Amino acid sequence: MIRVLIADDQGMVRTGFTVFLSAQPDIQVVGEAADGREAVRRAAELAPDVVLMDVRMPVMNGLEATRELLAGGGRSPKVLILTTFDLDDYVYEALRAGASGFLLKDASAAQLAEAVRVVAAGDALLAPQVTRRLIHEFARLGVPRPAAAGRRLAELTERETEVLTLVAQALSNQEIADKLFVAEQTVKTHVGRVLMKLGLRDRAQAIVWAYENGLVRPGE
C-alpha cells in the first residue's frame, strides 16, 4: 500500500485527489496539508511514501517545503510536484530540490495514480516537455564538471556509465534494455548500483547529476 500526503492550498483540489486516489486498491491517502509548512509537519507525523506537492502555496511554497522535507536524510518521502505552472524555473528548481517527478494538473486521473506508483517505485517521472525544459536550462547555465564528479564517475563500470547516460536521456528501463540487448532486470540492477555509488536517491537525481556534471550535454 502506497501512503500519500496531499499538499495543496485549494480545498476542492485536495478533496478531488483524495477521492480518486482512495479508490485505488494500492494507494492510501493518509493526510492533507493546505500549505508548505503544514506539509512538512504532517509528513513528519504520518511518514507518507509519496507527497503530492503543489508549487504555489501560502506560508511556505512547495519548492521550499520539498527542500526541507528532503534535507534531513534518512527515510524521506518521494515528492511529486503537481502544478498548473509549466515554467522553466519550477521544473529546474523542483528537481534540484530533490523532487522525484513533475506533473501538470491537467493530467488525467489515471495519469495521476500512475505517477504516484512510478515515483513510489523510485523511478523519475518526467514528461517529455519537462525533460526538454530541463535540458534547455542546463544548456543555458553551461555548468562545468567539478573535479570531484570525475572521481565519482570513475567508480562506475563502463556499462554502468553507459546506463547512466541513457537514464539521463529519459529512457525507461525497457528502452535501455532494448538498446543494450540485455534483460530489463539487468538494467534495474545497473541503475541501482549507479545510485548507490553516486549517493543518489532516484532516477530524477541521476538525470540532474548527469547533466550538471557534464556526462551528458544538451543536444546529445
Side-chain angles (χ1 to χ4, degrees):
M1 188 68 72
I2 303 170
R3 295 166 55 82
V4 176
L5 172 67
I6 299 172
D8 195 296
D9 62 335
Q10 298 181 46
M12 290 182 64
V13 171
R14 296 196 306 273
T15 299
F17 288 163
T18 297
V19 169
F20 176 75
L21 291 176
S22 295
Q24 304 301 306
D26 56 340
I27 298 174
Q28 177 188 11
V29 177
V30 296
E32 300 178 9
D35 60 64
R37 175 58 62 195
E38 186 181 9
V40 173
R41 179 176 60 79
R42 296 282 282 163
E45 294 171 355
L46 300 170
D49 301 305
V50 176
V51 177
L52 285 182
M53 186 78 77
D54 188 24
V55 171
R56 289 189 174 176
M57 294 187 290
V59 184
M60 175 187 286
N61 68 41
L63 300 183
E64 292 171 346
T66 297
R67 291 189 190 97
E68 191 160 323
L69 269 177
L70 303 179
R75 186 191 178 281
S76 300
K78 307 292 185 182
V79 176
L80 176 60
I81 297 289
L82 193 62
T83 183
T84 55
F85 302 99
D86 184 14
L87 301 177
D88 296 348
D89 289 347
Y90 289 134
V91 174
Y92 182 65
E93 290 303 324
L95 294 173
R96 286 295 307 277
S100 296
F102 193 101
L103 191 68
L104 302 182
K105 283 185 179 178
D106 62 3
S108 69
Q111 287 173 326
L112 173 62
E114 185 58 26
V116 168
R117 297 183 181 105
V118 167
V119 298
D123 288 333
L125 186 85
L126 298 175
Q129 70 270 25
V130 172
T131 303
R132 285 195 296 271
R133 288 176 180 271
L134 183 64
I135 292 170
H136 173 76
E137 183 68 9
F138 284 124
R140 184 183 69 80
L141 293 174
V143 181
R145 179 190 297 184
R151 290 194 296 271
R152 294 173 72 188
L153 190 58
E155 297 176 10
L156 303 182
T157 65
E158 183 177 347
R159 178 46 63 93
E160 287 167 353
T161 301
E162 191 174 14
V163 168
L164 175 57
T165 300
L166 296 173
V167 166
Q169 294 170 6
L171 271 64
S172 68
N173 285 342
Q174 187 57 62
E175 289 169 335
I176 294 172
D178 292 343
K179 197 173 186 69
L180 299 180
F181 302 102
V182 297
E184 184 178 3
Q185 185 57 50
T186 300
V187 174
K188 289 181 180 178
T189 300
H190 286 312
V191 171
R193 287 174 180 164
V194 167
L195 298 180
M196 180 184 66
K197 289 181 179 181
L198 297 181
L200 304 174
R201 184 170 46 252
D202 54 31
R203 292 171 80 97
Q205 279 201 328
I207 291 170
V208 172
W209 191 96
Y211 278 100
E212 283 193 329
N213 293 289
L215 177 62
V216 180
R217 300 186 184 280
E220 292 183 348

